[in-house]
Amino acid sequence: MTAFHEGELAIQDRAGVRAQAARLGDAMLAAPDLDGGMGRFLAHRAFAVLTARDADGRLWTSPLFSSPGFLEAHDRELRVHAAPGPGDPLEGLAAGQPVGMLAIEFATRRRVRVNGTLTDSDTGLTIAVDQAYGNCPKYIHPRQIDRVGSAEQRVERSATLLPEHQTLIANADTFFLGTIHPTRGADASHRGGPPGFVHVDGDRLWWPDYPGNNMFNSFGNLAVDPSAALLFIDFDTGATLHVSGEATVEWVAPSDIDGGTGRRVSLAIESVVSR
């Protein structure tokens, strides 16, 4: 198996960075070392996000918040002593499917991506890990966070964004993006920028692509399967906004708004869950 699938290779070729990406590919395919420093990092986290499909096959990205120690890694298995709660679009998550997880520490701007298969969801979650690797700290805004969401917050479901949703997005400097590939699994990633870098355009969202590690994991997935899930969090109130739809990578004239990359993503909104 090659380090990158056909979608990732196609995007790397078009961006002219295939050689640079290839230098990072071996680390992606290396057997995950969850007993070392990466496992210790996971063990100290209190917050992560998870990408998976619901019972209807729709892709969502949801927050997982607990206390340090809720992520327990050993060998090539990750036990998650938490699960999406009542009202979350991934409540009652079914085992036997690919999932992607991102554990992040905002204060030190560190993050680790873990991709694999959900083997058990009866008591917490158990993930058989295929890939685990760190990402650069670029565009992570340092902050302290408390628990997000609560049982007391009302869950609202709609097909479009409400005015309060648009306000949350307009003020956001961070969101989490979930994508998936038919055979290479699901992925959860972080996106950051200046407040308002995600734009609302009718029933669509779009955001610029800033320079990154050139692997294009998310873009590569979208080139094969347009399913996409966005998670926005109001870190002051704990409110969460889940958006699911289909996304397209657009190649445009480079400008200041996209850091000169000439790339942006447009998402057609299909379903919204907020609390």
Side-chain angles (χ1 to χ4, degrees), residues 122-145:
D122 289 335
T123 56
L125 309 173
T126 302
I127 301 172
V129 178
D130 295 322
Q131 295 178 331
Y133 53 94
N135 276 141
C136 71
K138 194 177 289 186
Y139 310 116
I140 298 178
H141 297 277
R143 56 170 40 97
Q144 297 291 334
I145 64 170

Side-chain angles (χ1 to χ4, degrees), residues 23-206:
R23 291 194 286 268
L24 300 172
D26 289 342
M28 292 180 62
L29 277 186
D33 179 14
L34 297 181
D35 290 321
M38 194 173 297
R40 290 190 294 273
F41 174 80
L42 293 171
H44 286 89
R45 303 285 61 79
F47 173 74
V49 298
L50 181 75
T51 295
R53 293 193 186 275
D54 65 14
D56 296 323
R58 177 167 295 284
L59 196 70
W60 297 99
T61 295
S62 293
L64 296 173
F65 191 99
S66 187
S67 55
F70 89 104
L71 298 177
E72 183 182 356
H74 176 64
D75 195 13
R76 298 187 63 172
E77 182 179 86
L78 177 63
R79 293 183 180 273
V80 184
H81 301 287
D88 188 281
L90 291 180
E91 178 187 3
L93 187 61
Q97 65 166 305
V99 296
M101 177 177 287
L102 177 76
I104 188 166
E105 183 182 29
F106 285 103
T108 61
R109 302 169 63 230
R110 296 179 63 196
R111 52 183 161 168
V112 166
R113 288 159 84 161
V114 178
N115 302 333
T117 301
L118 183 66
T119 59
D120 182 71
S121 59
D122 289 335
T123 56
L125 309 173
T126 302
I127 301 172
V129 178
D130 295 322
Q131 295 178 331
Y133 53 94
N135 276 141
C136 71
K138 194 177 289 186
Y139 310 116
I140 298 178
H141 297 277
R143 56 170 40 97
Q144 297 291 334
I145 64 170
D146 296 316
R147 180 177 294 275
V148 296
S150 73
E152 291 75 29
Q153 289 175 305
R154 184 178 63 183
V155 178
E156 295 182 335
R157 297 175 181 268
S158 63
T160 58
L161 295 174
L162 303 177
E164 57 267 31
H165 303 156
Q166 297 185 36
T167 298
L168 193 161
I169 293 171
N171 292 326
D173 61 14
T174 297
F175 75 93
F176 300 94
L177 172 65
T179 60
I180 196 166
H181 183 273
T183 61
R184 298 290 281 267
D187 182 75
S189 65
H190 164 279
R191 292 291 185 271
F197 77 108
V198 181
H199 302 259
V200 180
D201 184 8
D203 61 353
R204 304 184 74 89
L205 298 176
W206 71 268

